[in-house]
């Protein structure tokens, strides 16, 4: 097998101990690529295509070594020569091909699909700069292009290429593949990323993420979801989406024919799961290809397509439910807009009295989710609560028409990355206590036998401490910031969005700051860590970031408070950062407005790593509570029915809550003198006004309860026996959230792949 020392001499002409981490990374990447070359691609007849605009795959080295079975060996070998795999991995540049949960879900799914031996590829786009790289300057979020595409790379260029016809020009794609390796699997799958050779970073205005949005040939795959605040940005998104799905559809048909399909039986050979609505245009595109290139009648093409496409809905936020003006689609691809109009006619004649299910509304706007539900065979939500809300409220008219199409598939996470690779210390603890069967069948409940065993609880506590020290070292090494490893680590990491309610935690920080100033010293110092990016056009989200960064500076400067409270906003939160943060966390903040977070997967990662959850009754938090019991999770706040009612009846008045004696000083602190001294008046005032007069996502409604539950959590932390028992119980019940379970459900109920 691998002799790293020899390899170092061969490649770099020096001993391993003298190689830089980048050099060792290159050696290991070549080794993994070689090993994966030896594995055959899964070639069973029926194949899944997971089409997604995002794949937040994270760094691949550690995960691939683990899945191939070389992880322990390599780690030991490196240590023998004074090197560390963690530091080598820091030399890998993480591809930023996703925004958040939706993209990370796609990545976890690929791992599980392959580990379960199923035939399934991911299909998406090879964005050259992915999402932006976040940097903080003057306590504000700034944007840098994220150049992840350098050498060495996991991408392998294939020979495959298709023509994609737009209205006034045709573009020719190239396909790049990344091998997807399953855990101890003998076959592999692939992530197929389409690109365009003419795309160039030269059109980016220096060191920014601005570029000429009209030059499609040169910008098409430059960035993930470019700014959609103007029409040019919107059109570019449609160009991207159509480019993605046209390539995907052509690939799917070509491969099915290769495996023996006569095209009429295409649906026996391929099933397509579309990850949210971004790939919905694959429906009209398949119909176009079947009718124009394979001589199939329109109505038959519609039926074939309908039997192939399954849709996952990820949201109920109306802003996130995609709608495109018909004229925009026409501008990009008139053939496709014509097919959509035909499909819409079919629906309108069948359901003339139900305007809410019409694909094209009275304003000539296309509702992508409606297209996907009518012309796919399956629609699923991503947690029980979310699916119920879809069936009862958001998509109720569709549910009445097609009850058989609806199902729930509660999200999951791959334990290979989020436990075995991210937390080897907890992994060996589990191996010792309950054996290794869980690596492939994620049942951890046997751990409950140790619930009352003090020695075991001490071990758990020691592992958490070790992980805090590792986080501290990592943050010092990579970002030059310091945290106290003896503090309580309390984390909220996720996209910055009003509905995720980071502003609530910020208001709590203000509360705690004032409380400490009054002389109420916490028994154990507290470190509150945020991470997350905000969309460039999302003003209030920028203001929330600004508030948190200003609070962080204020507290750092205050010697009365800084021994006991630290607030840190980790720059450029991504999968790699998550892998350090989550194993170190004592507390997981899951405080979205009930009904607004479809599932969450961050919540599952924290639970699995022994953090205790503070949660609203939202998404998969509800299922966490069912699993661990009310006494092992800290829930608070209004439930989704109450929130839905408030929205329906216009029943929320932020001013009513703002005026409360406990709340007003906290909100007003945002625009207090010490804050204005540090921060920017415009940002802070805008946020202050928003919370006071609008507060659309009701940060204030649950604030008093939130403060009470946080105080309770910190108090409980002091009772070690109780705390670590709760932590153990959480780990023991996390097996349900393995994405292997989720994928088995998708396969049994939707995909029907053989393995
Ligand atoms: C898991 C994950 C998410 C999703 O987090 P939520 O808390 O579920 O929103 C987002 N970003 C990254 C990098 C992740 O790993």
């Amino acid at each position: 097998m691998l002799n790293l020392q020899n390899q170092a001499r061969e490649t770099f002409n020096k001993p391993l101990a003298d190689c830089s981490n980048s050099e060792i990374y290159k050696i290991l990447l070549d080794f993994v690529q070689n090993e994966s070359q030896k594995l055959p691609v899964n070639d069973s007849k029926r194949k899944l295509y997971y089409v997604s605009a995002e794949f937040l795959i994270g760094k691949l080295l550690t995960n691939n070594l683990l899945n191939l079975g070389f992880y322990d060996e390599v780690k030991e070998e490196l240590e023998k020569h004074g090197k560390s795999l963690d530091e080598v991995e820091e030399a890998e540049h993480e591809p930023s091909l996703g925004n958040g949960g939706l993209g990370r879900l796609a990545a976890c799914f690929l791992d599980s699909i392959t580990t379960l031996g199923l035939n399934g590829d991911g299909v998406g786009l090879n964005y050259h700069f992915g999402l932006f790289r976040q940097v903080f300057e003057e306590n504000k979020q700034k944007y840098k292009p994220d150049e992840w595409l350098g050498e060495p790379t996991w991408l392998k260029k294939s020979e495959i290429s298709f023509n994609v016809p737009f209205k006034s020009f045709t573009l020719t794609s190239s396909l790049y593949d990344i091998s997807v390796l399953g855990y101890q699997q003998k076959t592999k799958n692939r992530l197929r990323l389409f690109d365009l050779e003419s795309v160039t970073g030269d059109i980016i205005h220096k060191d920014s993420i601005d570029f000429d949005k009209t030059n499609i040939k040169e910008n098409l795959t430059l960035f993930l979801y470019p700014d959609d605040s103007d029409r040019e940005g919107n059109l570019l998104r449609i160009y991207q989406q159509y480019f993605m799905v046209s390539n995907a559809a052509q690939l799917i048909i070509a491969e099915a024919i290769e495996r023996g399909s006569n095209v009429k039986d295409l649906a026996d050979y391929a099933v397509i799961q579309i990850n949210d609505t971004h790939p919905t245009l694959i429906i009209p595109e398949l119909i176009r290809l079947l009718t124009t290139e394979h001589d199939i009648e329109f109505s038959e093409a519609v039926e074939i397509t309908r039997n192939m496409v399954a849709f996952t809905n990820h949201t109920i936020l109306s802003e996130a439910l995609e709608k495109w003006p018909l004229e925009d689609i026409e501008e990009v691809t008139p053939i496709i807009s014509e097919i959509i109009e035909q499909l819409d006619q079919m629906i309108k004649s069948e359901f003339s009295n139900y305007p809410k299910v019409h694909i094209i509304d009275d304003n000539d706007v296309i509702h992508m989710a409606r297209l996907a539900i009518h012309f796919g065979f399956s629609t699923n939500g991503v947690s029980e609560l979310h699916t119920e809300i879809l069936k009862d409220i958001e998509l109720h008219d569709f549910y009445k028409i097609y009850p058989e199409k609806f199902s729930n598939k509660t999200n999951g996470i791959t334990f290979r990355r989020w436990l075995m690779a991210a937390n080897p210390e907890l992994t060996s603890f589990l191996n010792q206590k309950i054996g290794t069967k869980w690596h492939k069948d994620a049942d951890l409940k046997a751990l409950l036998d140790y619930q009352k065993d003090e020695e075991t609880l001490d071990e758990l506590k020691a592992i958490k401490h070790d992980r805090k020290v590792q986080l501290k070292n990592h943050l010092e090494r990579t970002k030059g910031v310091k945290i106290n490893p003896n503090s309580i680590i309390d984390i909220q990491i996720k996209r910055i969005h009003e509905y995720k309610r980071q502003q609530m935690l910020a208001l709590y920080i203000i509360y705690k700051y004032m409380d400490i100033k009054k002389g109420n010293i916490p028994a154990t110092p507290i470190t509150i860590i945020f991470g997350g990016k905000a969309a460039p056009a999302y003003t209030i989200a920028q203001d929330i970031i600004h508030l948190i960064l200003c609070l962080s500076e204020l507290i750092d400067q205050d010697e009365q408070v800084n021994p006991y409270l630290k607030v840190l906003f980790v720059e450029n939160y991504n999968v790699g950062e998550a892998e350090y943060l989550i194993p170190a966390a004592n507390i997981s903040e899951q405080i979205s407005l009930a009904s607004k977070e479809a599932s969450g997967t961050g919540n599952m990662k924290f639970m699995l790593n022994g953090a205790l959850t503070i949660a609203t009754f939202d998404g998969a938090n509800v299922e966490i509570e069912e699993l661990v019991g009310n006494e092992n999770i800290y829930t608070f706040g209004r439930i989704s029915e109450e929130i839905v009612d408030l929205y329906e009846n216009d029943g929320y008045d932020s001013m009513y809550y703002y005026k409360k004696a406990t709340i007003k000083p906290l909100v007003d602190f945002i625009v207090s003198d010490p804050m204005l001294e540090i921060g920017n008046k415009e940002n802070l005032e805008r946020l202050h006004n928003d919370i006071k007069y609008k507060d659309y996502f009701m940060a204030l409604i649950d604030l008093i309860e939130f403060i009470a539950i946080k105080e309770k959590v910190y108090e409980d932390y002091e009772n070690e026996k109780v705390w670590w028992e709760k932590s153990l119980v959480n780990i023991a019940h996390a097996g349900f959230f393995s994405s292997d379970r989720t994928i088995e459900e998708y396969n049994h109920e939707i995909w029907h792949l053989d393995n």
Side-chain angles (χ1 to χ4, degrees), residues 56 100-101 104 418 493-494 500 573-575 578 590 597 600-602 605:
L56 196 50
R104 184 54 230 172
W418 295 109
I493 40 175
K494 45 186 78 239
K500 307 233 181 199
Y573 171 59
N574 60 13
V575 177
Q590 307 299 333
E597 180 76 271
T601 48
K605 300 168 197 166

Side-chain angles (χ1 to χ4, degrees), residues 56 94 98-102 104-105 108 411 413 417-418 492-495 499-500 573-579 582 589-590 597 599-606:
L56 196 50
E94 175 174 333
N99 277 294
L102 173 150
R104 184 54 230 172
L105 185 77
C108 283
N411 282 168
I413 55 172
R417 180 174 292 267
W418 295 109
Q492 185 176 24
I493 40 175
K494 45 186 78 239
R495 288 289 291 203
Y499 84 82
K500 307 233 181 199
Y573 171 59
N574 60 13
V575 177
E577 296 305 327
E579 285 168 327
I582 291 168
E589 298 281 351
Q590 307 299 333
E597 180 76 271
S599 162
T601 48
N603 46 4
M604 303 166 186
K605 300 168 197 166
F606 280 105

Side-chain angles (χ1 to χ4, degrees), residues 506-515 517 547-548 550-555 558 561 565 658 662-680 684-685 687-689 691-692:
L507 290 168
Y508 173 77
I509 289 166
I510 294 172
Y511 165 85
K512 199 68 188 169
Y513 172 80
M514 291 174 159
D515 201 44
K517 297 246 349 143
L547 169 66
I548 295 164
C550 290
L551 283 171
S552 167
E553 188 178 327
L554 177 81
I555 290 164
D558 192 322
V561 180
L565 182 62
Y658 165 77
T662 37
I663 293 183
K664 188 167 181 302
L666 305 181
V667 176
D668 287 346
F669 190 81
I670 295 172
V671 288
S672 62
D673 289 343
M675 287 298 284
L676 291 175
E677 215 163 282
I678 291 171
N680 177 290
L684 295 173
E685 279 184 351
L687 182 61
H688 180 256
N689 280 333
I691 295 178
K692 185 169 164 185

Side-chain angles (χ1 to χ4, degrees), residues 59-78:
K59 299 181 183 198
L60 296 178
L61 179 62
T62 303
N63 212 230
N64 281 342
L65 285 171
L66 185 90
N67 281 1
L68 285 171
F70 293 117
Y71 175 81
D72 291 328
E73 206 176 318
V74 165
K75 197 169 166 170
E76 266 170 43
E77 183 75 12
L78 287 173

